[in-house]
Every structure is written in structure tokens, then in C-alpha cells.
Amino acid sequence: MSLHRRPEVWGVLNVTPDSFSDGGEYFALDRAVTRAHDMMSQGASVIDVGGESTRPGASRVDVESEQARVLPVITELTTQGIPVSIDTMWADTALKARAAGATIINDVSGGMADEKMLPMMALEGCNVVLMHWRAHSQEMDSVAVYDDVVNEVREALAERVAAALAVGIAAENIILDPGLGFAKISQHNWELLAQLEEAIPAGYRVLVGASRKRFLGELLPEGHEVQERDASTAHLGVLLAEKGVGVLRVHNVAAQTHALDVWQAFQQGGLRG
């Protein structure tokens, strides 16, 4: 048995009124800050703050509204020493989030939604997440068509990496995300997960955000609450840890941390045995 490195757990903090996962529960500043502290105490290493819902069908948020949502939260969290990632497709939001103390930029469009994003990332010199993406939320379901999803995602991510390197983003700063649920039906998601090593260009860190997504809900009884997907998310996180995934982006940090505790104890016991 080989010992795999334990993945980081990033806690999702949606400061939106229309998130699919929490229904705007953390839209208010004080509740968002409290939630971030809770997730850090439960084992999160980073709080990923986003001000635009990217659930299928969601409308875009203008840059001014997004910044009004995320910047006060980021400023408060970083002032208190909490590591923050900014989840945005707007270069100006990412730049202002960096000024407010965010140390990571997580762009679900992989720099495709805003032509200023990749050059700005290069100048900032921070860690960046580039996700596989085809279209904004209102159109993503219509482009969920692939001949070979694994190869097509790998080729698209390789193009994003090439574009990032071309503008001066350091290879060691790049984290890649296969984009589960973004322009993908359930079968696509499962194929990507089963063949993750083939879907991600070699040599890059990997982030997976499967938390509470629709394809996990399809394994549960009809009419379940979205929070009931947390156990499935945590189980999947352990399987991904076995594959060497470096970052798990989740809503329920406590559940994922506990699952990884069990996995790590099992590994260490097996190595001693």
C-alpha cells in the first residue's frame, strides 16, 4: 500500500441570494464571516468566496454587484487571518479581491469569460484555478455534447494551460479543475471521475468540486434535501484522495474532514501492518 498525500479541503462560501446549495443563507456579512470561521475550525485550509451563482440556468451578475457582495467579506476574513480564494470570472473583481487579501483566484471559465483575466493573473503571480468551461450558466446545458468527454476535457484544459503559460503564469501556480456539472450530464461527470488521470494534463495540481451536485443527488431518493448529498460528497472525496487529487472544494467541511480522517487512519494502519 502506498501512502497518498491528504488533499486540502476548501470551504465554499456563497455570498449570493440564489445559491443552489444554501439558498442565500450566508448572504449577510456577519453570517458569512461566522460560517467561514466554522469551516476553518472544521478543517478547511482555504475559504472560497463567490458572489455569482453558477448553477445551471442562473443569470449573470454584473461586476459591481459581485464586488459589493464579496469584497467586504474578503476584507473581513483576511483581516482576521483566514486564507481566501476568490471565485470569479471578472478580472476586475479578482484584482480587487487580491488587494483585499485573497491569495488564490478561482475562475470557473478558465480565463475565457474575461480576456483580461489571464494577463492579470500573470501579473499578480498567485495560485490560480483554471476550470474546464464551455458556456455561461444559462447556456451550459445546451453544449453538454461530447464524442469523448475525457479526451475533449483534457485537450481543452491543455489549451487553457498553454494560454496561461503564454502570458506568463507560472506552471507551479496553476491548479486544474475538470468542471463537473458545467456543460456536462451525469454520465460525463462519472466518466471524468473514473478516468481523472487521463482527463487532466500531467504535472498539474487538481481541484475537484463535486459537492452537492446534481449527479450525486440522482443516487438519492426523489425529493431529498440538497444537504443530504453531503455523505455522497464525502465518500467521493475519499475516492478522489486515492487518485491523488490535491484539493476538494466542499460545502460541508466537517463531513469531508471526518471522511479523510478515517481514510488517513486506514492508510497509516495498513502501512504499519
Side-chain angles (χ1 to χ4, degrees), residues 149-218:
V149 68
V150 174
N151 284 332
E152 290 174 55
V153 166
R154 182 181 66 248
E155 290 171 0
L157 285 174
E159 290 175 0
R160 290 291 86 209
V161 167
L165 296 176
V167 297
I169 297 175
E172 60 268 24
N173 288 344
I174 297 173
I175 304 168
L176 299 178
D177 179 348
L180 301 179
F182 286 81
K184 298 169 188 74
I185 62 172
S186 294
Q187 182 60 34
H188 297 146
N189 295 328
W190 289 118
E191 288 180 30
L192 287 168
L193 288 166
Q195 301 176 67
L196 197 59
E197 296 90 342
E198 290 76 33
I200 303 292
Y204 292 92
R205 290 174 287 169
V206 181
L207 177 150
V208 174
S211 184
R212 295 181 177 176
K213 290 196 172 175
R214 183 169 51 187
F215 76 102
L216 293 177
E218 291 175 359

Side-chain angles (χ1 to χ4, degrees), residues 190 212 216-217 219-220 228-237 256:
W190 289 118
R212 295 181 177 176
L216 293 177
L219 302 175
L220 295 170
E228 294 178 64
R229 302 173 188 176
D230 288 341
S232 301
T233 300
H235 290 318
L236 180 58
Q256 187 62 76

Side-chain angles (χ1 to χ4, degrees), residues 21-51:
S21 64
D22 51 41
E25 186 174 350
Y26 308 114
F27 192 45
L29 176 60
D30 57 345
R31 300 191 72 172
V33 172
T34 297
R35 176 61 177 161
H37 278 282
D38 288 345
M39 289 192 288
M40 291 298 294
S41 70
Q42 293 161 357
S45 58
V46 172
I47 302 301
D48 192 46
V49 178

Side-chain angles (χ1 to χ4, degrees), residues 11-263:
V12 178
L13 185 59
N14 295 313
V15 286
T16 64
D18 56 348
S19 167
F20 86 96
S21 64
D22 51 41
E25 186 174 350
Y26 308 114
F27 192 45
L29 176 60
D30 57 345
R31 300 191 72 172
V33 172
T34 297
R35 176 61 177 161
H37 278 282
D38 288 345
M39 289 192 288
M40 291 298 294
S41 70
Q42 293 161 357
S45 58
V46 172
I47 302 301
D48 192 46
V49 178
E52 176 178 351
S53 175
T54 51
R55 60 180 171 79
S59 299
R60 294 248 35 214
V61 173
D62 64 80
V63 66
E64 292 82 8
S65 298
E66 181 185 55
Q67 291 175 13
R69 294 173 179 181
V70 301
L71 295 180
V73 175
I74 292 170
T75 299
E76 188 66 26
L77 296 183
T78 58
T79 299
Q80 298 179 28
I82 293 178
V84 169
S85 166
I86 174 61
D87 178 359
T88 182
M89 290 181 276
W90 293 106
D92 190 62
T93 298
L95 185 62
K96 288 177 179 174
R98 284 280 293 152
T103 57
I104 302 165
I105 300 170
N106 178 11
D107 181 357
V108 299
S109 80
M112 295 175 69
D114 185 341
E115 63 182 12
K116 298 177 183 177
M117 182 65 89
L118 293 183
M120 184 276 298
M121 288 175 165
L123 289 173
E124 286 297 304
C126 61
N127 282 338
V128 301
V129 181
L130 304 177
M131 194 190 80
H132 176 264
W133 182 87
R134 282 187 164 181
H136 288 293
S137 297
Q138 290 187 313
E139 297 85 35
M140 70 166 70
D141 285 346
S142 66
V143 292
V145 180
Y146 302 85
D147 292 323
D148 184 333
V149 68
V150 174
N151 284 332
E152 290 174 55
V153 166
R154 182 181 66 248
E155 290 171 0
L157 285 174
E159 290 175 0
R160 290 291 86 209
V161 167
L165 296 176
V167 297
I169 297 175
E172 60 268 24
N173 288 344
I174 297 173
I175 304 168
L176 299 178
D177 179 348
L180 301 179
F182 286 81
K184 298 169 188 74
I185 62 172
S186 294
Q187 182 60 34
H188 297 146
N189 295 328
W190 289 118
E191 288 180 30
L192 287 168
L193 288 166
Q195 301 176 67
L196 197 59
E197 296 90 342
E198 290 76 33
I200 303 292
Y204 292 92
R205 290 174 287 169
V206 181
L207 177 150
V208 174
S211 184
R212 295 181 177 176
K213 290 196 172 175
R214 183 169 51 187
F215 76 102
L216 293 177
E218 291 175 359
L219 302 175
L220 295 170
E222 188 174 349
H224 68 274
E225 297 293 328
V226 70
Q227 289 81 3
E228 294 178 64
R229 302 173 188 176
D230 288 341
S232 301
T233 300
H235 290 318
L236 180 58
V238 169
L239 297 173
L240 292 169
E242 284 286 336
K243 285 181 173 286
V245 167
V247 180
L248 302 172
R249 181 183 179 275
V250 303
H251 299 86
N252 189 328
V253 171
Q256 187 62 76
T257 298
H258 177 63
L260 291 173
D261 287 344
V262 173
W263 167 75

